[in-house]
Amino acid sequence: MFRTAGTRTADPCPRCRTRAFRPGTPTPESGPCTAVAYTCAHCAHAWSRPIDDDLETLDTVRVDLPDATLYGTAWQVEADRVQVRGSGGVCLRWVERWRVSVY
């Protein structure tokens, strides 16, 4: 199931509780990416969330895409990407691992 997100997403800003913020970006560090950085479009607050390292096949997940939010099941899990099966088994889509949150 896809839900149109645009500039909104499921998690609000921790400071102002607004759901309008720029899409997350992986934090540039040496080695593998370990966090996703966000900036609130309303109050300019910046924060990050760790990338789930305990993601397993058949976990229920949320994927924050630039134009939508996908809820589904992790079908295949690789080091840098995850194949997600949408709700109802309608679609399979490969996404970067940093976009996935265990739901």
Side-chain angles (χ1 to χ4, degrees):
M1 175 177 89
F2 285 98
R3 179 178 60 84
T4 302
T7 59
R8 298 185 172 275
T9 190
D11 293 328
C13 169
R15 180 185 288 164
C16 70
R17 308 305 293 170
T18 296
R19 292 183 188 271
F21 56 85
R22 296 174 190 96
T25 56
T27 55
E29 295 180 11
S30 59
C33 179
T34 59
V36 179
Y38 295 94
T39 303
C40 178
H42 180 72
C43 71
H45 178 66
W47 73 97
S48 64
R49 70 162 175 84
I51 294 175
D52 295 316
D53 59 357
D54 60 348
L55 180 63
E56 296 180 6
T57 302
L58 301 181
D59 279 347
T60 301
V61 297
R62 183 187 81 216
V63 182
D64 294 325
L65 300 170
D67 58 345
T69 300
L70 171 65
Y71 294 89
T73 304
W75 208 245
Q76 292 183 31
V77 179
E78 296 181 0
D80 61 342
R81 65 186 189 152
V82 177
Q83 187 177 39
V84 177
R85 182 176 183 177
S87 297
V90 178
C91 64
L92 287 172
R93 182 170 184 169
W94 284 102
V95 295
E96 294 112 338
R97 189 172 181 141
W98 64 266
R99 294 185 181 276
V100 177
S101 298
V102 176
Y103 195 64

